[in-house]
C-alpha cells in the first residue's frame, strides 16, 4: 500500500520535471565523454574508446536486476549512491518506475537526469515474439555513410619525383577520400547485428584477393545474441571482452585520469561486447560464448585473425634463418607499397576463458581469466636497450584472478596477473564515500618490466601496463549543489629504462578542477594540471656522459564558461594555457575559443572560432571539438594560427538525417604543414566531413 501511495505522489510531483510519456531523454554524449576522457598526451584512438562507452548507452541497465558492479559501469553514481540504491531495493522491493529514484537518499534531480539515459525498468514484451520477427520489427536499425577529406593537396598525392638513379619516389596508391559505412540493427539485451567498412585516405578502393582488399580496406562484422536459454551471450564475428580490472581482457579502452577523479579508476566486468569501431587491431574475430548457471558464469573465446606485420629475413654463414616479424604496425594504413607489404602477414590465434561468480546479494564477486596467444611467425623485435624485456617469441600466455567487494559505502577491487615470461601485474584499490559530500578513490599498481598482456588496458601512466609502479589518489567534494571540487595526485616510477628515457625514472601528476553551477543552464569551471616526467636531454654535441635525463615539467590550465541562453542557443567560452620547463627554461602556449550552438526543431548549427599560439610542440594544446554523429575529435594545436569549424545537422524526415562539418586551420608562422608524404605546401588546411544517417524502420 505504501508503494502505491508513493507512486501516485510521484506521478503528480514529477509532471513538471519530466514528460509524462517517457522520462528517458537523450544524453549529450559529447559532453559526457569529454568529461570522462583524460587529458590526451599520446596518440590514442578516441573513437575506439567512444564506441565502447557508447555500448553502455545503447544497452541500458535494468535497475531491478542490476548489481552494484553494473551500476558502477555508468560512471555516474558515487559509492554512497550505489549503496543507498541497493539498500532501498532490498528493503522496498523492485522499483515500479524510474520516477521512484527520487525517493532514494542522495539521488537529487541532477543525478537522476544524468542517469536516465543509461537505465530502464522492466523487460521488453518483444521477447514473446520469435527472434526473426523481432529482428524484422526492430526500430533501432540504421545505415551510416560518411565521407571525409582534406582538400589541400598532400605530397603523397602529387606525381612522383625521379631521382638521379632514375628511381621514382614513393607516393600514395589511392585517392584522398576517407569513406566509412556502418550498418547495424540491435535491441538492448537481445541481439546486435552489424557491419563496418572503411577506406582511409591514400588507400586504394580495389578488389584484390591477393592482398585481401575487397573494395574497402577494412571490413568488420558481428552477430550477437543475448539471453538464449542458459547462454547469456553468443557472439560471432568481431567482439571484445572486459573482465576484472582489464589486465587480461581490457575491451580496448581505459578512461584513466580525467576530470572525473573518483569512479573512473575502477573497471567493470562488462563481459563480451560487439566490436563496432574502425581500429584494425585490439579485438577478437571468431566465437565468444558466455554460459550462465545460477550465480556462476563461464566464458570461452576462440579467435583467429590476420595482423599486419613487417617481415624480416636474416642471414648466417651457412643458410637463411627462419622468417620472423620485427614489428606489428597498429596504424591500419595501407597507402604505400611499403605499408601494403605489411598487410595480413601474420595470423594471430587466441584461445581464452573466464569464470565469474557473483554473490547472491551482489556483495562481492570474483573470477579468473586466461588467454593463450600464438603468432604464425615468431615476433623478434629489433634489439634495443630499452626493449630487451619486451615480448619476443611465438606464443604467450597470461592469466589472472580478480575480485570486487562491496561493504556499506566501500568498494574494494583488484586483479593480479602473470604472463608466460614470469612477469606479474597487479592492481588494487578502493572507492568510498567518506561522507555525504566527499568521495575518495585510491589505486595502487605494479607492472613488471617483463609483464606481457596484448589485450590489456589496465590503469597506467604508460600507454600499456608494463614497467611501472604507482599510487593514485582521487577526491571529489560537493559541499552543495552549486560547487564541486575534483582533484587527484598520481606518483609513478619506471624501474627499467624506456623509449626516450635511458635510465630508471619517476614522476608525478596532479589535477585540480573547481566547478561552479549556480543554475541549471550555467556552468563554469577552472582546471589546473601539472605533470613532471623524466626524459633524455637533447644531444648538444658537447663531451658528457650519454643519456642524461632531466625532469620535464608541464603545467596546463583551463577556464571554461558554458551558458544555455534558451532552448535554441548555447554558448561556450574557454581559455587553455600551457607552460613547459626544461632545464630551467620555460616556454608557453595559449588558446582562446568561442563556441556557439543554435538549433530549431529539425536543424542545428554548431561553430567555433579559435586562436592559438604555442612556442614549441611540447606546449601543444588539445581542444575537444564537436563532429558529425559518432565521430570523435580532440586535435592537438601547436605553433601560431586560427582554427574555425562549422557543423550543420538537418533532419529531412523521421528516417533521414544529414550532418556536414567544415573546419580550417590557418597558420601564421609557417608556409609548410606537416612532413613526409603528409606535407601540405601552404599555410592552411581545410577538412570536411559529410554523414548521412538513414533509419531502416
Amino acid at each position: 500500500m505504501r508503494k502505491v501511495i508513493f507512486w501516485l505522489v510521484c506521478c503528480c510531483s514529477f509532471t513538471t520535471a519530466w514528460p509524462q510519456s517517457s522520462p528517458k531523454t537523450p544524453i549529450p554524449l559529447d559532453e559526457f565523454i569529454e568529461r570522462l576522457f583524460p587529458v590526451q598526451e599520446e596518440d590514442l584512438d578516441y573513437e575506439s574508446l567512444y564506441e565502447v562507452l557508447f555500448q553502455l548507452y545503447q544497452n541500458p541497465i535494468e535497475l531491478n536486476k542490476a548489481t552494484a558492479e553494473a551500476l558502477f559501469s555508468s560512471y555516474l553514481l558515487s559509492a554512497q549512491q550505489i549503496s543507498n540504491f541497493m539498500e532501498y531495493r532490498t528493503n522496498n522491493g523492485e522499483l515500479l518506475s524510474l520516477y521512484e529514484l527520487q525517493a532514494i537518499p542522495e539521488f537529487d534531480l541532477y543525478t537522476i537526469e544524468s542517469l536516465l539515459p543509461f537505465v530502464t525498468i522492466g523487460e521488453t514484451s518483444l521477447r514473446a515474439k520469435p527472434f526473426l520477427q523481432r529482428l524484422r520489427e526492430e526500430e533501432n536499425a540504421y545505415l551510416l555513410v560518411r565521407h571525409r577529406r582534406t582538400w589541400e593537396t598532400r605530397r603523397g598525392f602529387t606525381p612522383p619525383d625521379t631521382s638521379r638513379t632514375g628511381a621514382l619516389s614513393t607516393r600514395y596508391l589511392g585517392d584522398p577520400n576517407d569513406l566509412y559505412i556502418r550498418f547495424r540493427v540491435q535491441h538492448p539485451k537481445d541481439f546486435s547485428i552489424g557491419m563496418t567498412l572503411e577506406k582511409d585516405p591514400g588507400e586504394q578502393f580495389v578488389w584484390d584477393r591477393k592482398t585481401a582488399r575487397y573494395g574497402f580496406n577494412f571490413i568488420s562484422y558481428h552477430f550477437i545474441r543475448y539471453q538464449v536459454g542458459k547462454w547469456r551471450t553468443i557472439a560471432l564475428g568481431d567482439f571484445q571482452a572486459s573482465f576484472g580490472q582489464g589486465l587480461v581482457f581490457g575491451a580496448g579502452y581505459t578512461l584513466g585520469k580525467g576530470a572525473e577523479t573518483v569512479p573512473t579508476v575502477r573497471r567493470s566486468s562488462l563481459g563480451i561486447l560487439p566490436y563496432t569501431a574502425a581500429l584494425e587491431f585490439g579485438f577478437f574475430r571468431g566465437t565468444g560464448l558466455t554460459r550462465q548457471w545460477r550465480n556462476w558464469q563461464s566464458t570461452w573465446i576462440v579467435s583467429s585473425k590476420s595482423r599486419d606485420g613487417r617481415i624480416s629475413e636474416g642471414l648466417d654463414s651457412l643458410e637463411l634463418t627462419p622468417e620472423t616479424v620485427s614489428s606489428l604496425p597498429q596504424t591500419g594504413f595501407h597507402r604505400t607499397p611499403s605499408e601494403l607489404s605489411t598487410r595480413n602477414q601474420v595470423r594471430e590465434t587466441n584461445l581464452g576463458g573466464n569464470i565469474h561468480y557473483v554473490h547472491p546479494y551482489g556483495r562481492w564477486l570474483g573470477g579468473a581469466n586466461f588467454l593463450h596467444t600464438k603468432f604464425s611467425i615468431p615476433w623478434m623485435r629489433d634489439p634495443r636497450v630499452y626493449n630487451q624485456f619486451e615480448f619476443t617469441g611465438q606464443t604467450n600466455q597470461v592469466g589472472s584472478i580478480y575480485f570486487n567487494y562491496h561493504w556499506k559505502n566501500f568498494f574494494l577491487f583488484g586483479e593480479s596477473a602473470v604472463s608466460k615470461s614470469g612477469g606479474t601485474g597487479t592492481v588494487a584499490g578502493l572507492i568510498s564515500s567518506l561522507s555525504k559530500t566527499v568521495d575518495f578513490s585510491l589505486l595502487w599498481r605494479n607492472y613488471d618490466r617483463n609483464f606481457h598482456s596484448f589485450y590489456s588496458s589496465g590503469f597506467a601512466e604508460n600507454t600499456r601496463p608494463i614497467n611501472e609502479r604507482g599510487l593514485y589518489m582521487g577526491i571529489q567534494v560537493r559541499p552543495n549543489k552549486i560547487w564541486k571540487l575534483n582533484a587527484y595526485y598520481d606518483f609513478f616510477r619506471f624501474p627499467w629504462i624506456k623509449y626516450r628515457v635511458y635510465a630508471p625514472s619517476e614522476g608525478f601528476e596532479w589535477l585540480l578542477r573547481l566547478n561552479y553551477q549556480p543554475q541549471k543552464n550555467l556552468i563554469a569551471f577552472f582546471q589546473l594540471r601539472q605533470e613532471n616526467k623524466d626524459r633524455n636531454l637533447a644531444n648538444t654535441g658537447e663531451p658528457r656522459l650519454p643519456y642524461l635525463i632531466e625532469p620535464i615539467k608541464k603545467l596546463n590550465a583551463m577556464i571554461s564558461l558554458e551558458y544555455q541562453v534558451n532552448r535554441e542557443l548555447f554558448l561556450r567560452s574557454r581559455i587553455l594555457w600551457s607552460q613547459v620547463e626544461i632545464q630551467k627554461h620555460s616556454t608557453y602556449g595559449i588558446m582562446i575559443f568561442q563556441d556557439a550552438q543554435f538549433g530549431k526543431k529539425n536543424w542545428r548549427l554548431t561553430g567555433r572560432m579559435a586562436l592559438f599560439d604555442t612556442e614549441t610542440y611540447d606546449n601543444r594544446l588539445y581542444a575537444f571539438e564537436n563532429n558529425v554523429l559518432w565521430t570523435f575529435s580532440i586535435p592537438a594545436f601547436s605553433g601560431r594560427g586560427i582554427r574555425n569549424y562549422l557543423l550543420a545537422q538537418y533532419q529531412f524526415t523521421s528516417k533521414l538525417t544529414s550532418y556536414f562539418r567544415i573546419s580550417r586551420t590557418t597558420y601564421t608562422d609557417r608556409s609548410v604543414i606537416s612532413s613526409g608524404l603528409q606535407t601540405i605546401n601552404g599555410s592552411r588546411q581545410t577538412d570536411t566531413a559529410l554523414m548521412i544517417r538513414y533509419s531502416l524502420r
Side-chain angles (χ1 to χ4, degrees):
M1 182 63 183
R2 180 176 59 84
K3 293 198 75 173
V4 174
I5 296 175
F6 168 78
W7 165 242
L8 294 175
V9 172
C10 285
C11 287
C12 296
S13 62
F14 266 62
T15 301
T16 58
W18 287 315
Q20 282 283 16
S21 58
S22 174
K24 186 176 175 66
T25 56
I27 184 174
L29 271 177
D30 289 344
E31 298 176 15
F32 176 69
I33 299 297
E34 182 191 12
R35 179 166 50 87
L36 290 181
F37 278 169
V39 178
Q40 184 181 2
E41 289 293 344
E42 304 291 343
D43 294 329
L44 302 177
D45 185 352
Y46 274 81
E47 289 194 25
S48 180
L49 311 186
Y50 181 91
E51 284 288 341
V52 175
L53 288 176
F54 186 72
Q55 296 304 319
L56 301 180
Y57 175 65
Q58 289 285 79
N59 295 274
I61 300 167
E62 216 296 319
L63 287 178
N64 285 327
K65 296 182 178 180
T67 62
E69 174 78 1
L71 294 174
F72 246 117
S73 68
S74 70
Y75 301 109
L76 292 170
L77 298 177
S78 68
Q80 183 67 57
Q81 289 170 330
I82 294 176
S83 180
N84 291 345
F85 174 85
M86 302 300 291
E87 182 179 355
Y88 177 88
R89 195 179 64 183
T90 300
N91 295 335
N92 299 282
E94 293 187 351
L95 277 68
L96 299 176
S97 166
L98 292 173
Y99 295 129
E100 197 172 342
L101 290 172
Q102 71 162 344
I104 303 175
E106 310 302 324
F107 274 64
D108 55 24
L109 185 59
Y110 174 81
T111 298
I112 297 173
E113 288 180 336
S114 300
L115 187 64
L116 285 179
F118 291 91
V119 298
T120 186
I121 295 283
E123 292 289 341
T124 175
S125 59
L126 289 178
R127 275 286 183 174
K129 301 179 181 180
F131 169 68
L132 292 179
Q133 184 177 353
R134 301 199 305 270
L135 181 62
R136 288 194 304 268
E137 297 177 355
E138 176 55 46
E139 295 182 356
N140 190 7
Y142 60 85
L143 177 68
L144 291 181
V145 180
R146 185 186 72 194
H147 172 272
R148 294 190 296 189
R149 178 166 178 165
T150 297
W151 290 96
E152 287 76 17
T153 302
R154 297 188 185 275
R155 180 177 296 167
F157 300 107
T158 61
D161 302 321
T162 303
S163 65
R164 294 180 179 178
T165 62
L168 295 178
S169 57
T170 299
R171 291 294 186 265
Y172 292 145
L173 299 172
D175 58 61
N177 297 303
D178 179 324
L179 301 176
Y180 172 93
I181 296 177
R182 177 199 283 184
F183 160 79
R184 191 174 184 191
V185 53
Q186 72 117 26
H187 189 84
K189 311 303 180 184
D190 190 3
F191 61 85
S192 177
I193 302 174
M195 176 176 286
T196 302
L197 305 95
E198 186 192 45
K199 184 197 86 70
D200 292 312
E203 294 178 340
Q204 289 177 297
F205 194 87
V206 63
W207 191 279
D208 184 5
R209 297 182 61 183
K210 184 178 179 180
T211 56
R213 291 180 294 168
Y214 305 101
F216 291 88
N217 183 76
F218 175 70
I219 300 176
S220 176
Y221 49 87
H222 74 268
F223 173 85
I224 294 185
R225 286 287 311 276
Y226 300 98
Q227 307 300 338
V228 182
K230 292 185 178 180
W231 293 99
R232 181 175 179 180
T233 308
I234 301 175
L236 302 174
D238 298 342
F239 60 92
Q240 295 180 299
S242 174
F243 295 102
Q245 296 306 306
L247 297 190
V248 177
F249 298 110
Y253 84 107
T254 179
L255 293 177
K257 296 175 284 190
E260 288 297 327
T261 54
V262 174
T264 55
V265 301
R266 179 186 179 277
R267 301 292 300 274
S268 297
S269 294
L270 303 175
I272 292 177
L273 300 169
Y275 183 74
T276 57
L279 191 65
E280 299 183 23
F281 74 100
F283 60 92
F284 299 108
R285 174 166 290 178
T287 302
L289 302 171
T290 298
R291 179 87 170 177
Q292 185 84 36
W293 186 72
R294 295 183 181 177
N295 296 320
W296 290 87
Q297 73 175 40
S298 57
T299 298
W300 300 273
I301 293 173
V302 179
S303 169
S304 179
K305 68 178 189 298
S306 298
R307 289 283 304 273
D308 289 354
R310 194 164 297 281
I311 304 299
S312 61
E313 295 181 355
L315 290 170
D316 59 22
S317 58
L318 299 178
E319 59 183 2
L320 285 171
T321 59
E323 192 176 56
T324 62
V325 57
S326 59
S327 63
L328 298 178
Q330 297 181 349
T331 63
F333 292 138
H334 305 101
R335 303 165 298 183
T336 65
S338 176
E339 292 177 346
L340 191 58
S341 68
T342 69
R343 180 176 172 81
N344 295 344
Q345 295 298 306
V346 182
R347 178 153 292 275
E348 177 188 306
T349 301
N350 286 281
L351 299 175
N354 166 269
I355 186 168
H356 185 88
Y357 175 79
V358 180
H359 184 265
Y361 297 103
R363 294 290 184 185
W364 63 275
L365 63 83
N369 296 309
F370 177 77
L371 181 63
H372 167 83
T373 303
K374 181 179 180 180
F375 300 102
S376 59
I377 302 174
W379 186 358
M380 306 298 294
R381 302 173 189 268
D382 294 333
R384 298 288 187 271
V385 176
Y386 65 84
N387 69 6
Q388 62 180 288
F389 294 100
E390 291 278 4
F391 171 82
T392 59
Q394 196 166 358
T395 63
N396 184 57
Q397 293 88 39
V398 58
S400 74
I401 56 174
Y402 62 88
F403 77 94
N404 290 335
Y405 182 73
H406 169 211
W407 177 71
K408 294 184 178 180
N409 59 329
F410 285 88
F411 287 82
L412 304 166
F413 58 92
E415 183 174 12
S416 186
V418 59
S419 60
K420 178 184 177 181
S421 62
T424 62
T426 302
V427 170
L430 68 86
I431 293 176
S432 175
S433 293
L434 303 180
S435 69
K436 292 182 179 181
T437 60
V438 180
D439 297 322
F440 175 75
S441 63
L442 178 70
L443 184 138
W444 171 80
R445 74 268 193 191
N446 184 7
Y447 307 123
D448 288 347
R449 59 189 181 181
N450 61 334
F451 175 62
H452 307 139
S453 185
F454 302 137
Y455 290 85
S456 170
S457 58
F459 189 100
E461 172 65 20
N462 287 324
T463 55
R464 297 178 295 125
I466 186 172
N467 182 36
E468 179 176 334
R469 298 172 185 171
L471 181 67
Y472 171 97
M473 294 176 288
I475 191 170
Q476 176 178 287
V477 182
R478 189 188 287 271
N480 51 51
K481 296 180 180 180
I482 297 177
W483 293 94
K484 184 175 74 168
L485 174 69
N486 289 83
Y488 71 71
Y489 180 85
D490 187 38
F491 174 79
F492 40 82
R493 296 184 62 242
F494 309 111
W496 184 246
I497 63 179
K498 60 178 188 172
Y499 179 66
R500 297 187 71 184
V501 188
Y502 286 173
S505 59
E506 63 182 31
F508 66 87
E509 180 182 333
W510 59 262
L511 177 142
L512 178 69
R513 179 166 175 147
L514 183 63
N515 278 67
Y516 175 66
Q517 188 172 5
Q519 53 195 48
K520 185 178 180 180
N521 62 340
L522 178 63
I523 302 176
F525 70 80
F526 170 74
Q527 179 174 297
L528 192 63
R529 173 177 171 266
Q530 182 178 354
E531 179 188 65
N532 281 37
K533 293 174 69 173
D534 292 332
R535 194 168 73 187
N536 290 346
L537 292 178
N539 186 1
T540 61
E542 298 179 2
R544 57 181 174 85
L545 293 175
Y547 306 133
L548 293 179
I549 62 174
E550 182 83 10
I552 307 299
K553 301 178 182 179
K554 295 183 179 181
L555 185 65
N556 291 83
M558 182 190 304
I559 300 176
S560 177
L561 177 64
E562 301 178 4
Y563 182 46
Q564 187 75 46
V565 180
N566 50 48
R567 288 187 176 183
E568 290 80 22
L569 181 61
F570 170 78
L571 301 174
R572 177 193 291 126
S573 304
R574 280 188 184 172
I575 301 175
L576 290 75
W577 176 85
S578 72
Q579 176 189 7
V580 177
E581 182 180 333
I582 304 176
Q583 293 183 285
K584 298 183 179 180
H585 173 68
S586 296
T587 56
Y588 301 89
I590 189 171
M591 183 175 189
I592 302 173
F593 66 77
Q594 176 64 51
D595 290 350
Q597 186 177 104
F598 186 81
K600 291 289 187 179
K601 183 177 180 181
N602 60 343
W603 62 272
R604 182 173 60 185
L605 292 174
T606 303
R608 168 174 297 177
M609 299 181 62
L611 301 173
F612 60 92
D613 186 354
T614 69
E615 294 186 51
T616 68
Y617 182 71
D618 284 324
N619 292 109
R620 63 191 179 277
L621 296 164
Y622 293 89
F624 169 86
E625 294 186 350
N626 296 96
N627 213 316
V628 299
L629 184 66
W630 298 337
T631 304
F632 210 77
S633 180
I634 307 183
F637 297 97
S638 63
R640 185 181 301 113
I642 302 171
R643 172 70 169 181
N644 299 311
Y645 73 80
L646 181 66
L647 172 64
Q649 173 185 340
Y650 186 79
Q651 184 174 359
F652 292 94
T653 67
S654 59
K655 291 186 176 183
L656 182 63
T657 306
S658 66
Y659 305 81
F660 177 75
R661 183 180 190 264
I662 181 169
S663 61
R664 170 169 288 182
T665 305
T666 303
Y667 293 93
T668 59
D669 63 341
R670 68 194 69 175
S671 58
V672 175
I673 301 174
S674 195
S675 60
L677 296 182
Q678 289 291 94
T679 300
I680 296 175
N681 289 320
S683 60
R684 66 186 185 187
Q685 178 177 330
T686 307
D687 301 285
T688 61
L690 173 66
M691 173 174 283
I692 303 295
R693 183 183 191 273
Y694 181 73
S695 298
L696 302 178
R697 301 286 188 269

